[in-house]
Every structure is written in C-alpha cells, then in structure tokens.
Amino acid sequence: MEHYAGLDVSLKEISICVVDRDGKTIARGACPSDPESVAGWFRNRSLMPRRIVHESGNLSIWLQRGMTRLGLPAACIDARKAHKSLSARLNKSDASDAEGLAQLARTGWFTPVHIRSEDADRLRSLVGARERLIRLRKDLEGHIRGVLKTFGIRMIGIGQGKQRQAFRDQLAAAGKTDPVLRAIADAFIATHAKLCQVADDLDKAVRKTAKVHPVARRLMTIPGVGPVNALSFIALVDDPARFSRTSDVGAFLGLTPKRHQSGEMDWSGRVSKCGDGAMRGLLFEAASSVIHQVKRFSRLKSWAVRLAGRRGFRKAAVATARKIAVLMLTLWKNGTDYQWTKEATA
C-alpha cells in the first residue's frame, strides 16, 4: 500500500501524519527535530512513505539534506504556497498542518523548492558575513556622527586608507573636548578598529576565493561584475541546469515586469522584485557601474548607454541588471569568457 507523509517542523519537535492513497489517516505522532529521529519514527512503525513533504523554514535545508542522505523520499515545498492550502482547513494546529501537508504529498499539488548544495551555502555565508561586518561598521560610524552633531562637532568625509584611521583620529580629537565623549571615544575606537580589521580580512578571503573559483573567474570577465557579484550569483543559482532558458533567470531574480490579466484587462507593471533582494541590488550596482564608470568599450556598455538616453537611467539600469544576470548564466552554461568585442549570446 502506498503511503504519504507530511511533516510540520518546529525548532524542537516535528508533527508527523501519514495517509494512504485514499487520503485516510494511517498514523500520527511527533519526534525530535532531526533527520535521524524522523527516519527512526518511520522505521519503528514499519512505514516507508512514497513521498514526504515539509515546508521551507529555518531547519528545512538541514532536514532535507539529512533525510536525503538517509534515503527518505523527502521534498521541501514553498511555505507561502502551502499556506494557501493549509489556511482553508477549519482548525489550525501542528497536527492539522501535518495532515494537510500529507494530503498535498498524496495529490502532488505542490512544486518542490531547490535546496542549495553545501558548497553554495559556504559561499553565501562568506559573502554574507563580509556584508554584515561592513553594515555594522557603517551603523557605528553613523551613530557616532549623530552623537557628535549634538555637541556641534561635524566629522568630515574620510577615505578607505589605513582601514579608515581618519575616522578614529577625528573621534579621538572629539573625546578631548568632554569627559563623556572621552569615555565614548575610548570604547568605540577599539570597536571600530576591530570591525575594520575583520571586514578587511573577510574582503580578502572573498577576493581569494573568487580568484581560485573557475566559474567566478569566468563571470568576472563581464563588465561591472566583481568578486562579490560573481560569488553571490554562484551561491544563489547553485545549479545552472535549473533554468532551461537563460532568460528565465531574470524572472527568478525579480527583474521582469509583473503582469495582470483578467478578461479585457491586461497590463504590465513594474518589476516584480521577487527572489533575492541582495543579489538584485548587486546586479543594479553592476549595471550602474557599466553605465557610468566602466571606460572600456563593449557592446553591453553601448547598449546600456543608448537605452539610458532613451528611457532614463533607472529603467536602463534595471534592464542592464537583467541582461548581466542572463549573461552570467549563459557564460556559466557555455563555459566561455565574455568577449568584449562581440557580446556573448544571451
């Protein structure tokens, strides 16, 4: 007899429900939130479901990888899409959600989400840690500037030289004017110096990783694409075979217009902004760099500049960001470098 299982996952416990092919509940229960406990729960009841469904969440990646290694036929589905079905049930509980997921597993009315590889998550964690440290440094500097303005002290702009030593020098000078500011300066100077040091160390690690990564080196031949853009794109896409057409990556990143059609109504709006916002922001920065900063001629730059002249910078930057994403996926699939004299086929 065919069985189907649904897992409602929380941080400590997983509610499990198993149904047969007619939708009748066969077994219910709960187990600790780890793959071995799930496998043991099924093994103790001599059950081997044909399909196991669980929602995307904080533990979903780890659980999916663990259950796959244990040979369980598990599939992770989008929690937002599953919510549409589960919200139609009268009562809301963990057991009820597990039963609803089991029914989805039985009917097959779901689309599994892609689970990134561990290598992709390592790249994503490295780039994310660098970005977080830079943001903490900016927050600290902004806080200090705001505090000093209260006392009429306005800090001047600074560069990146010597890990932003000029900022700490100005803060130390401000500390000499007041005992309270002195205490603040003593605490924040050391913190700022440490943040700058570790952020610089991670930035070097990102550059070193991109330099030795064959796909990243290839993607960095595209105008405007640097180590952070390349590694972030590789970590997000993970497997280029996910996209049958390279143009689909634009919609995946939320860089294509939304469309609404109903009867005689049919209109296209602004870009959907679906998917990863950080990657979309990096692509927008790369597009801005192509339009304004890259001096070397390329067909990509020529196309982007002409479009900006006709439609304005913002629309041109979004279109160029989408084109860069398509180019990155194309070069990844083809195993070729960007040709500056002749644009790669996208």
Side-chain angles (χ1 to χ4, degrees):
M1 168 126 1
E2 295 180 352
H3 295 133
Y4 302 88
L7 310 182
D8 185 71
V9 181
S10 63
L11 291 178
K12 294 183 178 180
E13 192 176 67
I14 298 178
S15 294
I16 306 176
C17 180
V18 181
V19 300
D20 60 18
R21 60 184 175 185
D22 296 324
K24 182 181 179 181
T25 300
I26 300 299
R28 292 179 182 271
C31 69
S33 296
D34 65 79
E36 289 78 9
S37 297
V38 174
W41 191 92
F42 288 119
R43 186 169 53 250
N44 293 338
R45 291 159 179 78
S46 300
L47 294 173
M48 178 49 69
R50 181 178 179 182
R51 189 181 298 123
I52 302 172
V53 162
H54 63 104
E55 297 175 279
S56 57
N58 294 331
L59 299 179
S60 59
I61 295 177
W62 171 65
L63 284 173
Q64 179 66 30
R65 290 172 180 164
M67 289 190 288
T68 300
R69 282 194 294 266
L70 294 172
L72 296 177
C76 180
I77 66 176
D78 192 336
R80 293 172 298 177
K81 296 181 179 179
H83 174 71
K84 300 295 184 180
S85 299
L86 299 180
S87 61
R89 301 178 67 86
L90 182 61
N91 297 316
K92 174 70 174 69
S93 66
D94 292 344
S96 176
D97 288 347
E99 182 180 354
L101 292 171
Q103 298 295 347
L104 287 178
R106 178 180 66 89
T107 58
W109 292 347
F110 65 88
T111 302
V113 299
H114 176 74
I115 301 297
R116 291 187 300 270
S117 65
E118 292 186 4
D119 289 339
D121 272 338
R122 290 188 183 95
L123 291 178
R124 191 176 180 86
S125 299
L126 176 62
V127 175
R130 171 190 173 275
E131 187 274 337
R132 174 58 60 181
L133 286 172
I134 292 175
R135 184 177 298 181
L136 288 173
R137 187 202 69 199
K138 290 181 177 179
D139 289 345
L140 186 149
E141 292 178 355
H143 174 75
I144 290 297
R145 289 178 185 274
V147 169
L148 294 183
K149 285 178 182 178
T150 306
F151 299 92
I153 302 173
R154 290 164 289 182
M155 303 182 76
I156 62 174
I158 57 176
Q160 297 290 342
K162 297 182 180 180
Q163 296 185 356
R164 306 177 73 84
Q165 180 63 41
F167 177 86
R168 296 189 288 277
D169 292 341
Q170 294 181 65
L171 180 56
K176 296 178 181 179
T177 63
D178 186 275
V180 174
L181 295 182
R182 179 64 181 179
I184 294 174
D186 290 342
F188 278 78
I189 285 175
T191 303
H192 184 265
K194 186 63 175 179
L195 280 175
C196 290
Q197 178 61 53
V198 294
D200 184 66
D201 292 343
L202 279 181
D203 185 68
K204 291 177 180 178
V206 168
R207 295 178 184 275
K208 182 179 179 181
T209 302
K211 186 177 181 180
V212 299
H213 198 291
V215 178
R217 289 204 313 267
R218 188 178 306 127
L219 299 186
M220 287 190 293
T221 61
I222 301 174
V225 177
V228 175
N229 301 68
L231 292 180
S232 297
F233 187 81
I234 293 169
L236 180 63
V237 173
D238 187 28
D239 181 11
R242 294 169 59 192
F243 302 93
S244 58
R245 300 180 303 174
T246 54
S247 59
D248 291 341
V249 75
F252 172 72
L253 293 169
L255 292 170
T256 54
K258 291 186 292 186
R259 184 185 180 190
H260 178 79
Q261 183 183 36
S262 178
E264 298 178 355
M265 182 185 300
D266 189 357
W267 56 266
S268 295
R270 297 182 177 182
V271 292
S272 64
K273 294 186 179 181
C274 296
D276 192 277
M279 186 71 244
R280 194 164 51 250
L282 290 173
L283 289 171
F284 189 87
E285 291 179 7
S288 302
S289 176
V290 169
I291 296 173
H292 290 309
Q293 297 179 3
V294 176
K295 303 300 182 183
R296 185 179 175 184
F297 172 81
S298 66
R299 293 190 63 180
L300 176 63
K301 178 176 177 63
S302 177
W303 177 85
V305 171
R306 285 187 281 111
L307 184 61
R310 296 195 311 268
R311 304 298 300 273
F313 167 74
R314 291 189 63 85
K315 289 184 178 180
V318 172
T320 304
R322 176 194 168 277
K323 195 172 186 68
I324 290 175
V326 175
L327 278 171
M328 292 171 78
L329 186 60
T330 300
L331 298 187
W332 191 354
K333 281 191 169 187
N334 294 347
T336 57
D337 293 344
Y338 179 80
Q339 301 298 320
W340 284 78
T341 56
K342 183 179 180 181
E343 187 175 2
T345 301

